[in-house]
Amino acid sequence: MTTAGRKRTVPPPGSPSTPAAGVMAPDVVRPRAHRPRAATVERREKILQAAMETFGARGYHNGSLAEVAERVGMTQAGVLHHFGSKDLLLLEVLEYRDRSDVEHLEGRRPPGGLGLFRHLVKTARINAGRPGIVQTYAVLSAEAVTDDHPGQDWFRARFSTLRQTVSDALIEVCDADDLPDPADVDAAAASVLAVMDGLQIQWLLARDVVDLGRSTALAIEAILSAVVAGRERRRLL
């Protein structure tokens, strides 16, 4: 979505332009600024929770800004004041969902090694209970490949970070004396993410046929087995 012909983007997680939670800019450290700053953060949090409920229940197309606004007692203009557009709000919801997935984890970040893959499978099982959020992610990630989509940079950065995280975890579970070819590790990392996203689409279209958690576990285990086998593994393809 564009405004005055320019693309609007959401900074990816960890971007230098995104302040860390609880960190205030130097020009707002005066005591007088604390109250509105806290109120703004709280209001945004409520909007995100309302949006997550709305889009989670109704999906991307049917979840409206009007309903989100009604849930928090605001106008649509008030919601847009905080998030700019429906697309940008949806991206923030996805990031909010990602944060909620790791809130219970040590350091609020996914574990490494085998623990990461167990976490991914657990996430797939949790996602089976929130089809609206899964649909929102599937729609936005697919649309992000189109020209001038506001979420394109966000998704590109997200996938880059996730591929590196999965690659590091794969190396951890391998025998240090028989590490696989780096190209195979990179391919395996991309495959893990592709399997998760692809199965979500199949599941959205046939929930009574595709077992999201079971299928995800089987596919990731197969990829792990191939990588852990090392350089001397027997190749079938």
Side-chain angles (χ1 to χ4, degrees), residues 64-110:
S64 68
L65 288 178
E67 183 173 346
V68 174
E70 183 178 357
R71 284 176 181 267
V72 292
M74 298 176 63
T75 63
Q76 290 188 55
V79 173
L80 292 174
H81 170 73
H82 288 282
F83 294 98
S85 70
K86 184 179 179 182
D87 278 348
L88 296 182
L89 175 59
L90 286 170
L91 287 172
E92 290 279 3
V93 167
L94 290 172
E95 198 165 322
Y96 182 74
R97 183 207 64 173
D98 284 350
R99 291 196 302 270
S100 68
D101 283 345
V102 298
E103 279 184 346
H104 64 288
L105 300 176
E106 184 178 354
R108 294 189 175 183
R109 60 184 305 165

Side-chain angles (χ1 to χ4, degrees), residues 191-230:
S191 298
V192 167
L193 302 180
V195 159
M196 294 191 70
D197 287 358
L199 282 172
Q200 286 184 159
I201 294 174
Q202 291 189 55
W203 174 77
L204 285 168
L205 296 172
R207 296 180 208 171
D208 57 336
V209 176
V210 178
D211 185 326
L212 186 58
R214 188 184 187 92
S215 299
T216 300
L218 182 64
I220 290 180
E221 188 170 358
I223 295 171
L224 274 173
S225 296
V227 174
V228 170

Side-chain angles (χ1 to χ4, degrees), residues 126-141:
I126 292 174
N127 283 343
R130 49 186 189 184
I133 292 297
V134 174
Q135 179 178 319
T136 296
Y137 175 85
V139 169
L140 284 178
S141 60

Side-chain angles (χ1 to χ4, degrees), residues 39-181:
T40 298
V41 171
E42 182 180 0
R43 191 171 298 114
R44 285 175 60 89
E45 182 84 3
K46 288 182 178 179
I47 294 172
L48 286 172
Q49 290 174 353
M52 193 166 185
E53 293 171 2
T54 299
F55 298 131
R58 304 187 183 281
Y60 171 67
H61 291 293
N62 294 328
S64 68
L65 288 178
E67 183 173 346
V68 174
E70 183 178 357
R71 284 176 181 267
V72 292
M74 298 176 63
T75 63
Q76 290 188 55
V79 173
L80 292 174
H81 170 73
H82 288 282
F83 294 98
S85 70
K86 184 179 179 182
D87 278 348
L88 296 182
L89 175 59
L90 286 170
L91 287 172
E92 290 279 3
V93 167
L94 290 172
E95 198 165 322
Y96 182 74
R97 183 207 64 173
D98 284 350
R99 291 196 302 270
S100 68
D101 283 345
V102 298
E103 279 184 346
H104 64 288
L105 300 176
E106 184 178 354
R108 294 189 175 183
R109 60 184 305 165
L114 190 58
L116 173 66
F117 302 104
R118 289 171 175 157
H119 169 70
L120 294 178
V121 172
K122 181 179 180 180
T123 298
R125 289 172 176 151
I126 292 174
N127 283 343
R130 49 186 189 184
I133 292 297
V134 174
Q135 179 178 319
T136 296
Y137 175 85
V139 169
L140 284 178
S141 60
E143 290 178 343
V145 304
T146 59
D147 293 342
D148 296 325
H149 190 279
Q152 189 173 102
D153 291 340
W154 191 92
F155 274 103
R156 183 179 287 112
R158 184 177 192 273
F159 279 123
S160 178
T161 298
L162 288 175
R163 283 194 299 271
Q164 186 60 57
T165 298
V166 175
S167 292
D168 292 343
L170 286 168
I171 293 297
E172 283 191 53
V173 300
C174 290
D175 184 346
D177 295 326
D178 186 22
L179 292 176
D181 188 291

